[in-house]
Amino acid sequence: MSDPTYVIGIDLGTTNSVVAYTEATIDKGKTPDIRVLEIPQLIEAGTTEKREILPSFILVPGKHDVSEDSLRLPWDDKKKVAVGEFAKDRGAEIPHHLISSSKSWLCHTLIDRNKPILPWEGPEDQLKMSPVEATSVILKHIRESWNYSMASEDKSLAMENQDVLLTVPAPYDAGARDLVVKAAGMAGLPNVTLLE
């Protein structure tokens, strides 16, 4: 990528995710101005607000669990799943429709991490995701949130045009790190640098 405007750090957490950023070019002797992105997310059905923390939860609702238009986001009115605070809260009430700890599933070598198994023990007739796909859904929400908040007037500021650093746990083996890179690519972030 040529001449990014920002360096973006994504802490993709098992429980919560946070995004921080600063200018890519800092004048010598100056301290970087590091900011935390306030991530738009559903906080209750039909209500979007910005929060510094994005809970790393995905709600895969059944037909009668939430109304279709209650999952709308400012940048996408056709969402079928929810990511973040509402997903965590509503998912606590309907746990068989909640995907949590998707990042932890990426290093679970006793399962096929590309196979749609989540939500674990969820109904067989509902949408299921692989751990890789679930991780990509969270990263895609982060990318779309950034693009909505930071690049709606200048497409060159889109997250995919910036220098993106993505944290991974130090114990991740090469296979799990490769799956994180795959998930990032599926989320529209083909060029990320992993940080242990």
Side-chain angles (χ1 to χ4, degrees):
M1 136 197 19
S2 60
D3 300 325
T5 302
Y6 294 106
V7 175
I8 303 169
I10 301 173
D11 181 10
L12 181 66
T14 303
T15 306
N16 294 299
S17 296
V18 177
V19 178
Y21 64 100
T22 190
E23 283 72 19
T25 305
I26 307 293
D27 292 335
K28 190 173 183 172
K30 297 245 178 172
T31 304
D33 180 20
I34 300 171
R35 292 154 288 197
V36 174
L37 178 69
E38 292 191 340
I39 303 171
Q41 59 193 284
L42 289 170
I43 56 147
E44 58 185 53
T47 304
T48 302
E49 288 186 11
K50 293 180 177 183
R51 298 282 198 267
E52 288 187 348
I53 294 172
L54 177 74
S56 301
F57 294 83
I58 303 168
L59 177 68
V60 184
K63 266 187 188 176
H64 307 291
D65 294 325
V66 295
S67 67
E68 274 190 36
D69 48 340
S70 65
L71 298 178
R72 288 182 178 166
L73 291 168
W75 58 88
D76 187 347
D77 61 0
K78 305 240 186 290
K79 282 289 183 188
K80 302 287 186 212
V81 300
V83 177
E85 192 169 318
F86 174 66
K88 179 183 77 168
D89 294 345
R90 183 70 176 112
E93 299 166 358
I94 49 173
H96 292 313
H97 293 273
L98 180 67
I99 298 174
S100 60
S101 305
S102 60
K103 189 175 93 169
S104 294
W105 286 95
L106 289 178
C107 61
H108 198 306
T109 57
L110 299 178
I111 59 156
D112 182 346
R113 295 161 284 183
N114 290 293
K115 184 178 177 186
I117 58 168
L118 302 175
W120 190 252
E121 297 182 346
E124 289 303 316
D125 62 344
Q126 80 173 35
L127 171 70
K128 292 211 173 208
M129 297 180 195
S130 70
V132 174
E133 184 181 5
T135 301
S136 79
V137 166
I138 295 168
L139 287 171
K140 183 178 180 187
H141 183 94
I142 290 170
R143 181 182 64 81
E144 290 176 341
S145 295
W146 170 279
N147 290 350
Y148 173 76
S149 298
M150 302 289 290
S152 59
E153 294 180 13
D154 182 352
K155 300 302 179 201
S156 72
L157 299 179
M159 183 177 275
E160 51 271 27
N161 299 326
Q162 309 310 311
D163 189 3
V164 179
L165 310 175
L166 183 57
T167 63
V168 293
Y172 264 26
D173 63 14
R177 286 194 297 272
D178 288 346
L179 292 173
V180 172
V181 171
K182 179 179 180 180
M186 290 168 61
L189 297 170
N191 301 306
V192 295
T193 302
L194 299 185
L195 288 180
E196 291 184 356

